[in-house]
């Protein structure tokens, strides 16, 4: 024991000497001997603390406290150790400080106890976190045991709880913000949902409400208590908001209790008052506590709700008694309540509603007030918001709030009944029905449904509902409404009696009751009006009229009374001015008064005041009174939409008029005139298919509706014909015009439109190539014109149309024999001063005398001149008739100018020098276009026309005209094309190409631009490019484009002459031939193109047509030669004779063929001017004559002709072959020998000539000359490898080789040799059908025959040039019935197809 004491003493001395290692050593030794030595543990802990070994020191101190828990020394050491470590051991510091303070308290040492507590809390505030500081403050709370001992020495609990609650508030706020920030970034997270979830988690686990209650319980300051009562309510309210509905009940009771407590204390905390007022579930506002409302106004004078309540309590609709001035509601410092008029009250309440946008009560009050003011639109908006606020309050509180919800629904339904009735009646009815389902006796819902049924004209049902409402809430208004419904149902006498019973009970003391009285008097008057409909009764001013006047005396602004008075003045008093004023007043008061609006619109329409009609109709549309509610028996009103359509149609606002008419037809599908107006709107906006359907529907209605109600129906037929005209359905349109004219014989508009349509149909048929139809249309137009000229001879459009119908004949000159000369003469001379035709006669030479003189000739040229003169005179008369209209006058000069230009084109002449002369018609055209430009200088077409006619007369003027035209309209492709032609004529290729390219970019389908570029390419020597451009131009042009037809046909002929393979394909010849045939129909015979046409007809095998063309051509050229005696004409005549001989040879007209061939030879014998043409002509004539003599049996003459041909062609191999065949056919050995010699000489000179080799092979076979056969066989086999053989040559080669194999087999037998040759032919030409056919004939197998058919099909047009006979032959090889039928169909003249079919 003494050693322990000595050790303790030594340890103590070491500590005092700061020898901490020694102290540790001494204390450790002691503890080894006595592990429960308290002081040794304390010394050890202190020494270890000084050495910085905190964990070992803490362990030693705790060992000491375990030995002596009530000894303060070890606890002090622990506290010192914890303080050295800052906030790391603050929680352990809390336990140590609490224990040490308790030890001092038990020992009665208050000072040291307070010091420990103060020191710890201060240390926690400085070094710890907010949570640790909050934990440290708990040592000061009354429930720790130290508070009672240290009371008065430590802070009051209210302060401590306040500090703790502030810390908790801040922690919760930071936690909420932090969690929201983290969770909102998650995939699919929504900020509202995340916020609610986080707040729920934090607020549910919060102890703030407990802390607030402790503050409230401990504080002595009323201000602080009220503040924390507010915080407690706010926290509980916030928690209630985020709780699910199932968990709201207990929290809601707490919130309501807290709010009521604050309200009882009249504490100005807005949330408490809001809860008390807004969560009170009341169906009627009178159930509110008026005192509570006035207290709210006093406490919150600037709140929006206070403004609303102040105005409401002071208004006429307030159910609460008004305060007297000495008890009035006033603010502090004011002596008496402010007095407000109605306007100021409304302004105040409106401002209040804006400031209290989340208040259900404010919206309910304002909605009811707006209903009182008849502001139904605003009432609807406010009531809808009230519904939304009730739903939000219910969601927040968890209360059903059915009373508030029903009240809002009743307000909304009542407003919807009146607002734009009956537009929103279905919605209002559903609201009332939902209320009656729960509350069958609700008088407001019963009244609402009754009013809806009254509007829908279901009067008996309306009476039932109103009487049920009357049982629940007796009212004069309800009784009067039921009486009015009874009257509207037809029982005017009973209704009148009941209304008169109600009238004495109406006290007209204010504005509303005055209006009600006016309505009663008006309805009594209407009952009198309808109960006796006689004219005398209605004119009696002591009856209905007097009631209407009394109604207005009661309320000068009651609109229905004005309407009734207007009807009285209009229909009975015959005072239109008063009637109009009454209707205007009624409509000014209420735009929903449809009767007044209709009467006004009709009145304005009669005076053509369309702007006023539009205003009236638009206001009625905006009133919402037009469309009946779904399911209603009441008919809709469509006339305002139809009136708007008429106005918009007159203003050319076609898209708007379409919408208006469509709206009218949705309401009244059987409105005939709306269908007509809709069709006209569609027509004017270019929607022709829709217009057609509209007019067809209108015509169907004509069959369904009473004709007496429709009136004239011709206009729909006329407009349908116009639509068909626009669609290009001219036949149907013309038929429609005829039907209209049958109804209205002298309707100028219809007649002139019919005439113009016939002319348009003629031009349309002309463009399509239907020239006969075009002439038929012109003749029909002439019939209309002859009728029209009788009674409208001065119409500009009439004479323009007559000029156009004459002009059509100049474009189809093949029909000039049908030109109605006498009819035109009678038309032009009808009731007109013939001297007027002398207009510009000094330039064009066309007057009445010239016109009469031109009628002498009967040939086509004379008729053409007569036709041109008739066209010019018609347009001159159009100029005379349009003198009063500047625009029409300018157009008339323009039309006359083009007519003069057309006359110039039709019969222009050439000067001896070859330069085109300045025609008198061309000069007249220039003058006409100048006149047009003088009157309308801004028309680009006039300048373009001037440029065209002055291109050759004055290039500088032409260029200026084209540039001016482009300045006015640079998007016109015709102007660019004409400019390109101008540059082409002037020789500027680059500018011409640029102009044509610009024209093509503006309109790629303009054929003339491509034609011009083709002419430019031809001028530059690019034949292939020019041909492609001409082809494209012809393909996209119409049938009247003669220049495109000429250029295309001539370019294609040049191409055929340079490409024999192409020229033999029929499909390539058809399109040029079509172009030439169209050309021949449109212009008088042009010898050059007639000759080209005959050559193309010859190539496609139309020999009869060819001969006919050439005979006509020969006659023309002969007549021309007799006139001009031109060597060139003579050469063309000889060439035509040679071609005619060849064609007649093909027709087997041998005598004529020989005669014409000899004529061609005789005419070309001394012609040396055109040696190439002469050589071809003579060659054709020699060959034709030779073949003709051969077929006639004149072999010598035939041989003579071929020899002559051979001499002139200098041994042409084809001629040699023909001559050899003729010599061999004669049969003499001498001639046959000559034939052999000719062929051998030819093959030496032309070793690759196929015909020569084939003929030598055949002759060798006939002579049985095996040496020659052997020599020729090698040549024949080499021919098989050539790819330039025609189909006919390939066929002949295969047949010759097969014959040689059959007659002269090598080592094999004949069958094998033939099979070998056929196989070789297939291998060398697998795409040729002849080898396959040969193989099929030898093997009798189906596969080679099938391949022969497939290859033959690929070779026929348009894929090749294989003939129908060759394809038919391939079908024969298959030996099948269906193929035999195809063979017969392809070539019925072949006997083999019939034989194959008979054998199957």
């Amino acid at each position: 024991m003494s050693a322990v004491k000595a050790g303790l003493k030594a340890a103590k001395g070491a500590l005092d000497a700061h020898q901490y290692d020694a102290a540790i050593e001494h204390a450790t030794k002691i503890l080894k001997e006595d592990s429960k030595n308290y002081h040794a543990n304390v010394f050890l802990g202190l020494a270890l603390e000084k050495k910085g070994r905190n964990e070992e020191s803490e362990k030693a101190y705790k060992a000491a406290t375990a030995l002596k828990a009530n000894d303060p020394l070890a606890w002090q050491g622990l506290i010192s150790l914890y303080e050295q470590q800052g906030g790391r051991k603050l929680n352990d510091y809390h336990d140590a400080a609490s224990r040490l303070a308790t030890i001092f308290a038990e020992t009665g040492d208050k000072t040291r106890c307070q010091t420990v507590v103060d020191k710890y809390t201060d240390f926690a505030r400085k070094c710890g976190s907010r949570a640790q500081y909050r934990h440290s403050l708990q040592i000061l709370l009354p429930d720790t045991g130290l508070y009672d001992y240290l009371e008065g020495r430590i802070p009051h609990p209210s302060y401590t709880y306040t500090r703790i609650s502030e810390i908790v508030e801040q922690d919760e706020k930071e936690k909420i913000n932090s969690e929201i920030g983290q969770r909102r970034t998650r995939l699919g997270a929504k900020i509202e949902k995340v916020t609610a979830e986080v707040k729920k988690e934090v607020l549910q686990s919060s102890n703030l409400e407990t802390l607030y209650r402790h503050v409230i319980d401990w504080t002595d300051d009323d201000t602080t208590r009220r503040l924390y009562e507010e915080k407690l309510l706010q926290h509980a309210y916030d928690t209630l908001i985020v709780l699910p509905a199932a968990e709201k009940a207990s929290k809601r009771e707490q919130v309501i209790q807290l709010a009521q407590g604050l309200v009882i204390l009249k504490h100005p905390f807005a949330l408490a008052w809001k809860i008390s007022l807004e969560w009170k579930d009341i169906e009627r506002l009178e159930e509110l506590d008026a005192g509570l409302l006035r207290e709210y106004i006093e406490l919150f004078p600037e709140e929006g709700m206070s403004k609303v309540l102040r105005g409401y309590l002071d208004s006429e609709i307030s159910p609460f008694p008004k305060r007297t001035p000495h008890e009035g509601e006033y603010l502090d410092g004011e002596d008496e309540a402010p007095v407000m008029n109605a306007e100021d009250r409304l302004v105040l309440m409106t401002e209040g509603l804006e400031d209290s946008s989340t208040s259900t009560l404010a919206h309910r009050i304002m909605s009811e007030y707006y209903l009182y003011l008849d502001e139904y639109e605003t009432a609807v908006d406010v009531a809808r918001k009230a519904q939304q606020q009730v739903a939000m309050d219910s969601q927040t509180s968890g209360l059903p709030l059915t009373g508030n919800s029903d009240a809002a629904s009743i307000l909304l339904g009542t407003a919807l009944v009146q607002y734009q009735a009956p537009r929103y009646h279905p919605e209002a009815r559903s609201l009332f029905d939902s209320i009656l389902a729960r509350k069958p006796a609700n008088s407001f819902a019963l009244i609402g449904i009754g009013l809806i049924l009254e509007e829908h004209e279901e009067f008996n049902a309306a009476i039932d509902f109103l009487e049920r409402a009357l049982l629940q809430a007796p009212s004069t208004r309800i009784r009067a409404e039921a009486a009015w419904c009874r009257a509207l149902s037809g029982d005017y006498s009973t209704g009148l009696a009941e209304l008169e019973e109600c009238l004495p009970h109406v006290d007209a003391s204010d504005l509303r009751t005055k209006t009600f009285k006016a309505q009663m008097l008006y309805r009594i008057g209407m009952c009198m009006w309808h109960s006796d409909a006689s004219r005398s009764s209605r004119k009696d001013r002591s009856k209905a009229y007097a009631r209407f006047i009394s109604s207005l005396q009661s309320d000068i602004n009651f609109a229905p009374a004005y309407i009734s008075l207007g009807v009285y003045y209009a229909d009975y008093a015959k005072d239109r001015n008063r009637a109009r004023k009454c209707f205007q007043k009624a409509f000014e008061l209420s735009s929903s008064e449809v009767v007044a609006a209709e009467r006004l619109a009709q009145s304005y329409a009669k005076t053509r005041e369309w702007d006023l009609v539009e205003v009236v109709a638009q206001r009625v549309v905006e009133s919402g009174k037009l469309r009946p509610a779904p399911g209603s028996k009441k008919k809709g009103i469509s006339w305002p939409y139809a009136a708007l359509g008429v106005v918009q149609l007159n203003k050319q606002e076609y898209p708007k008029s379409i919408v208006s008419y469509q709206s009218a037809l949705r309401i009244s599908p059987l409105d005939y005139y709306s269908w007509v107006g809709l069709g006209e709107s569609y027509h004017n906006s270019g929607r022709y298919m829709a217009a057609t359907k509209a007019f067809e529907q209108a015509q169907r209605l004509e069959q369904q509706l009473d004709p007496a109600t429709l009136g004239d129906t011709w206009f729909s037929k006329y407009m349908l014909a116009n639509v068909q005209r626009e669609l290009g359905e001219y036949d149907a349109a013309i038929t429609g015009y005829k039907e209209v004219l049958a109804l209205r014989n002298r309707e100028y508009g219809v007649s002139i439109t019919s005439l113009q349509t016939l002319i348009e149909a003629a031009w349309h048929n002309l463009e399509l190539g239907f020239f006969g139809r075009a002439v038929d249309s012109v003749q029909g137009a002439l019939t209309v014109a002859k009728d029209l000229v009788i009674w409208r001879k001065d119409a500009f459009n009439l004479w323009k149309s007559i000029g156009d119908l004459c002009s059509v004949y100049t474009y189809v000159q093949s029909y000039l024999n049908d030109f109605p000369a006498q009819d035109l003469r009678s038309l032009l001379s009808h009731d007109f001063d013939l001297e007027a035709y002398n207009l510009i006669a000094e330039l064009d030479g066309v007057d009445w005398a010239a016109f009469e003189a031109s009628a002498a000739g009967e040939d086509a040229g004379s008729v053409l001149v007569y036709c041109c003169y008739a066209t010019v005179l018609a347009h001159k008369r159009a100029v005379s008739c349009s003198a009063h209209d500047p625009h029409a006058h300018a157009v008339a000069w323009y039309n006359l100018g083009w007519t003069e230009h057309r006359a110039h084109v039709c019969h222009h002449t050439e000067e001896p020098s070859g330069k085109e002369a300045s025609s008198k018609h061309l000069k007249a055209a220039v003058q006409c276009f100048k006149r047009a430009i003088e009157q309308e200088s801004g028309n680009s077409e006039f300048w373009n026309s001037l440029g065209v006619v002055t291109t050759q007369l004055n290039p500088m003027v032409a260029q200026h005209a084209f540039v001016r035209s482009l300045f006015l309209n640079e998007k016109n492709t015709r102007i660019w094309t004409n400019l390109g032609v101008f540059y082409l004529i002037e020789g500027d290729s680059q500018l011409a190409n640029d102009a044509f390219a610009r024209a093509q970019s503006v309109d790629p389908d303009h054929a003339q631009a491509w034609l011009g570029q083709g002419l430019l390419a031809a001028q530059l020597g690019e034949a292939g490019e020019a041909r492609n451009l001409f082809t494209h131009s012809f393909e996209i042009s119409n049938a009247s484009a003669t220049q495109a037809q000429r250029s295309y046909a001539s370019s294609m002929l040049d191409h055929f002459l340079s490409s024999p393979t192409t020229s033999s394909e029929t499909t390539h010849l058809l399109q040029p031939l079509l172009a030439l045939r169209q050309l021949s129909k449109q212009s008088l015979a042009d010898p050059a193109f007639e000759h080209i046409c005959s050559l193309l007809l010859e190539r496609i095998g139309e020999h009869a047509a060819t001969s006919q063309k050439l005979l006509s051509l020969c006659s023309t050229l002969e007549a021309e030669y007799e006139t001009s005696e031109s060597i060139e004409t003579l050469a063309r005549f000889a060439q035509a004779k040679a071609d005619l001989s060849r064609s007649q040879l093909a027709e087997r007209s041998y005598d004529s063929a020989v005669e014409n061939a000899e004529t061609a030879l005789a005419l070309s014998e001394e012609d040396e001017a055109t040696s190439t043409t002469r050589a071809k002509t003579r060659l054709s004539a020699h060959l034709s004559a030779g073949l003709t003599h051969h077929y006639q049996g004149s072999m010598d003459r035939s041989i003579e002709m071929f020899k002559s041909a051979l001499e002139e062609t200098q041994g042409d191999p084809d001629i040699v072959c023909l001559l050899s065949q003729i010599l061999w056919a004669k049969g003499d050995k001498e001639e046959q020998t000559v034939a052999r010699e000719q062929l051998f000489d030819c093959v030496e000179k032309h070793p690759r000539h196929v015909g020569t080799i084939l003929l030598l092979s055949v002759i060798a076979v006939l002579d049985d000359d095996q040496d020659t056969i052997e020599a020729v066989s090698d040549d024949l086999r080499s021919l098989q490898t050539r790819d330039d053989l025609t189909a006919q040559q390939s066929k002949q080669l295969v047949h010759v080789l097969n014959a040689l194999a059959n007659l002269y087999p090598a080592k094999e037998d004949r069958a094998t040799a033939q099979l070998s040759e056929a196989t070789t032919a297939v291998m060398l030409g697998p795409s040729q059908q002849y080898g396959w056919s040969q193989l099929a004939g030898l093997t009798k197998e189906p596969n080679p025959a099938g391949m022969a058919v497939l290859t033959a099909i690929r070779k026929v047009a348009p894929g090749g040039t294989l003939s129908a006979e060759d394809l038919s032959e391939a079908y024969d090889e298959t030996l099948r019935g269906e193929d035999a039928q195809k063979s017969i169909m392809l070539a019925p003249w072949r006997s083999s197809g019939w034989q194959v079919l008979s054998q199957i």
Side-chain angles (χ1 to χ4, degrees), residues 411-467:
L411 289 171
L412 177 59
T414 304
L416 290 174
V417 169
Q418 303 296 334
Y419 176 55
Q420 292 188 354
R423 181 176 180 179
Y424 298 105
H425 282 183
E427 182 182 357
R429 180 69 183 266
S430 65
L431 292 172
F432 292 139
D433 286 340
S434 64
I435 294 172
L436 290 177
R438 291 177 281 103
K439 302 174 181 178
N442 189 290
S443 59
F444 296 104
L446 291 170
I447 294 170
I449 294 179
L451 294 176
I452 292 172
L453 293 172
E454 178 185 341
E455 180 68 27
H456 293 180
E457 298 181 358
E458 300 179 24
F459 302 116
N460 293 329
I463 293 169
D464 178 59
F465 276 93
L466 291 173
E467 288 180 346

Side-chain angles (χ1 to χ4, degrees), residues 461-610:
I463 293 169
D464 178 59
F465 276 93
L466 291 173
E467 288 180 346
R468 287 168 58 188
L470 195 60
L471 293 176
Q472 302 299 324
S475 168
T476 302
R477 288 181 178 270
I478 302 175
R479 185 177 294 107
E481 200 67 40
W484 178 239
C485 288
R486 189 165 280 111
L488 293 176
S489 67
D491 191 356
Y492 291 104
S493 57
T494 305
L496 175 61
E498 293 180 358
L499 286 171
E500 288 178 340
E501 289 178 6
C502 296
L503 185 60
H505 300 286
V506 178
D507 181 17
S509 58
D510 57 16
L511 178 62
R512 289 183 62 82
T513 53
K514 285 181 179 179
T515 302
F516 179 53
K517 183 177 181 181
Q519 184 187 59
M520 292 276 290
L521 290 167
Y522 161 75
R523 289 178 172 179
I524 291 172
M526 291 302 295
C527 289
M528 292 179 175
W529 184 272
H530 289 287
S531 60
D532 187 356
S534 64
R535 188 173 185 85
S536 58
S537 175
R538 290 185 173 182
K539 290 183 69 175
D540 189 350
R541 295 200 170 198
S542 64
K543 293 185 178 180
Y545 176 83
R547 300 304 186 276
F548 298 148
I549 295 296
S550 299
S551 174
L552 292 177
Q553 290 172 349
S554 178
D555 185 359
I556 195 66
N557 293 323
F558 189 67
Y562 283 106
I563 298 174
S564 299
L565 284 176
V567 173
Y568 171 82
Y569 287 128
D571 297 345
Y572 296 95
K574 301 302 179 182
D575 191 340
R576 292 183 179 180
N577 291 330
R578 285 190 177 183
R580 189 167 184 171
K581 290 179 181 179
C582 288
F583 292 136
Q584 286 176 339
K585 182 64 175 179
F587 191 65
E588 288 173 5
L589 292 172
S590 175
S591 61
S592 62
E593 298 299 337
V594 181
V595 175
E598 184 175 9
R599 293 271 187 154
L600 280 177
Q602 290 173 350
S603 174
Y604 293 141
K606 289 178 181 178
T607 57
R608 307 189 69 82
E609 299 176 73
W610 299 114

Side-chain angles (χ1 to χ4, degrees), residues 100-300:
L100 181 60
T102 303
I103 291 172
F104 287 144
E106 290 175 352
T107 59
D109 193 345
K110 290 187 176 183
T111 302
R112 297 180 70 185
C113 178
Q114 180 184 354
T115 301
V116 169
V117 172
D118 291 344
K119 185 178 179 182
Y120 164 60
T121 56
D122 188 58
F123 181 81
R125 180 180 59 82
K126 293 179 180 179
C127 300
S129 63
R130 283 202 301 270
Q132 290 173 331
Y133 179 51
R134 182 188 66 194
H135 190 218
S136 69
L137 291 176
Q138 291 178 354
I139 199 172
L140 304 176
L141 296 177
D143 55 359
T144 60
L146 293 175
Y147 175 77
D148 293 336
Y149 182 69
L150 296 177
E151 186 175 6
R153 289 176 171 266
I154 58 176
H156 192 270
S158 62
Y159 172 80
T160 305
Y161 280 119
T162 300
R163 295 296 300 143
I164 293 174
S165 65
E166 290 174 352
I167 293 171
V168 173
E169 285 175 359
Q170 191 170 1
D171 287 344
E172 288 186 0
K173 183 178 181 180
E174 291 182 357
K175 184 177 181 181
I176 289 173
N177 293 335
S178 175
E179 288 294 323
I180 291 174
Q182 292 177 6
R183 298 187 188 184
R184 68 182 298 179
T185 59
R186 295 176 183 175
L187 188 64
K190 295 182 179 180
I191 185 64
E192 297 83 2
K193 186 176 180 181
V194 168
T195 302
E197 291 176 352
V198 171
K199 285 187 175 181
K200 178 185 175 184
E201 293 173 5
V202 174
L203 295 178
Q204 274 190 308
S205 60
S206 173
N207 64 339
L208 266 179
E209 293 185 18
T210 303
L211 293 173
Y212 291 154
R213 288 190 180 278
H214 284 310
V215 174
I216 293 169
D217 292 342
W218 282 97
T219 186
D220 296 327
D221 185 9
D222 287 341
T223 302
T224 303
R225 183 177 291 109
R226 297 290 89 80
L227 173 64
Y228 277 86
E229 285 177 349
E230 291 177 5
K231 288 189 174 185
L232 176 60
L233 175 58
Q234 186 67 57
H235 191 277
Y237 180 77
D238 292 341
T239 306
L240 177 65
I241 291 175
V242 298
L243 286 175
E247 302 176 13
K248 286 182 181 286
S250 59
K251 181 61 68 176
R252 181 178 62 247
E253 294 301 324
Q254 176 191 352
V255 169
I256 293 174
Q257 186 177 2
L258 291 171
Q260 288 177 345
L262 289 173
V263 170
I264 291 172
L265 294 174
K266 298 184 180 180
H267 179 64
F269 183 49
L271 177 61
W273 290 86
K274 173 187 174 182
I275 293 170
S276 295
L277 293 175
E278 304 288 352
W279 289 10
K280 187 169 291 185
D281 191 18
I282 55 172
E283 190 169 344
R284 299 171 183 263
L285 292 177
E286 51 262 34
E287 298 177 29
L288 290 170
D289 184 353
L292 190 66
L293 299 180
R294 292 189 173 94
E295 289 174 359
Y296 180 85
I297 295 172
E298 292 174 2
L299 291 173
F300 307 99

Side-chain angles (χ1 to χ4, degrees), residues 303-361:
E303 287 288 330
M305 172 70 83
S306 294
K307 297 177 182 179
V308 174
L309 290 174
R310 192 181 309 156
Y312 173 66
L313 294 174
D314 190 48
S315 68
E316 301 87 342
I317 64 172
S318 172
F320 306 111
K322 307 289 188 299
R323 282 192 174 186
T324 58
H326 65 274
E327 2 170 67
E329 305 157 17
Y330 49 87
L331 303 177
D332 294 339
E334 292 185 354
D335 295 332
E336 60 182 15
V339 178
M340 291 183 293
N341 56 30
E343 291 78 8
D344 294 337
R345 185 186 308 118
L346 181 59
V347 171
L348 178 68
M349 295 176 74
T350 303
E351 292 177 355
L353 182 64
E354 293 176 357
D355 297 337
S356 56
S357 58
T358 60
S359 171
T360 301
L361 181 59

Side-chain angles (χ1 to χ4, degrees), residues 683-971:
H683 169 266
N684 292 337
S685 61
R687 299 169 63 179
Y688 300 121
M689 295 307 298
T692 301
K693 294 179 180 178
F695 287 126
E696 288 176 348
Q697 175 63 23
Q699 291 187 354
R700 282 193 290 270
L701 289 177
E702 292 176 11
Q703 308 299 324
Q704 300 174 13
L705 302 178
D706 184 8
T709 62
L710 290 178
D712 289 337
T713 59
W714 65 270
F715 186 71
S716 65
K717 295 181 175 63
Y718 170 68
M719 287 303 301
L720 179 59
N722 286 343
V723 173
Q724 291 166 338
R725 173 189 177 186
E726 296 291 347
L727 291 173
E729 300 174 2
Y730 295 108
D731 293 340
I734 292 167
T735 302
Y737 291 135
K738 288 180 179 178
E739 292 178 358
V740 176
L741 289 172
L743 299 173
R744 299 179 69 88
N745 186 27
R746 290 295 178 92
E747 187 69 40
Y748 169 72
V750 182
S751 297
I752 197 65
T753 306
S754 176
L755 176 60
Q756 292 171 337
T757 304
L758 286 163
I759 300 299
E760 287 180 15
W763 289 117
H764 180 69
N765 288 320
L766 187 63
E767 292 175 354
L768 296 179
F770 300 139
F771 305 122
R773 294 184 184 178
V775 172
D776 292 340
S777 296
V778 166
Q779 292 173 350
L782 184 61
T783 303
V784 177
K786 287 192 294 184
D787 176 67
L788 191 58
V789 76
I790 297 173
W791 50 281
R792 282 299 288 268
K793 61 184 177 61
D794 295 330
F796 161 70
N797 286 327
L798 168 64
W799 295 107
K800 177 188 177 299
S801 299
I802 292 174
D804 289 342
L805 72 86
C806 293
S807 181
V808 170
Y809 282 97
T810 67
Y811 288 92
V812 283
Q813 296 175 12
S814 60
Y815 290 89
L816 283 172
N817 293 331
D818 298 330
F819 183 70
Q822 293 302 320
D823 291 334
L824 263 299
R825 185 185 182 283
S826 62
L827 279 174
L828 292 170
S829 61
H830 177 77
D831 195 14
F832 188 67
D833 183 8
L834 300 181
E835 293 297 324
Y837 288 130
N838 295 336
L839 185 69
I840 64 170
E842 67 279 3
L843 293 176
D844 63 2
V846 180
D847 53 13
W848 186 256
F851 175 66
E852 291 283 356
S854 65
E858 296 183 358
D859 59 290
S862 300
V863 175
L864 179 60
V865 172
Y866 189 80
C867 178
C868 291
Y869 283 5
T871 308
V872 170
L873 293 181
H875 283 289
K876 285 185 177 181
R877 188 159 180 178
V879 171
S880 175
C881 292
S882 61
H884 62 282
D885 186 345
H887 175 69
H889 200 53
V891 173
W893 278 111
Y894 171 75
N895 294 335
L896 179 58
W898 277 119
T899 303
E900 296 283 4
H901 181 265
R902 181 61 185 169
H904 162 73
V905 170
C906 287
H907 54 280
H908 70 276
T909 61
E910 293 186 358
E911 293 181 350
S913 61
K915 184 178 179 182
E916 185 175 347
S918 299
S919 168
K920 57 182 182 180
H921 292 293
L922 199 58
K923 293 180 180 179
V926 172
Q927 185 64 28
C928 291
F929 291 134
K930 286 183 178 180
R931 293 282 187 89
I933 291 172
E934 287 173 1
Q935 299 192 30
E936 194 172 326
S937 60
N939 193 311
S940 63
E941 293 294 339
F942 295 176
W943 285 102
N944 174 53
S945 305
L946 180 62
V948 171
V949 297
T950 57
T951 296
Q952 293 180 332
L953 294 176
N954 193 332
M956 294 181 64
V957 172
Q959 186 177 25
H960 170 74
F962 285 134
V963 171
R964 179 65 179 172
S965 181
L966 286 173
F967 173 76
L968 295 171
N969 183 8
E970 64 176 352
K971 297 295 185 181

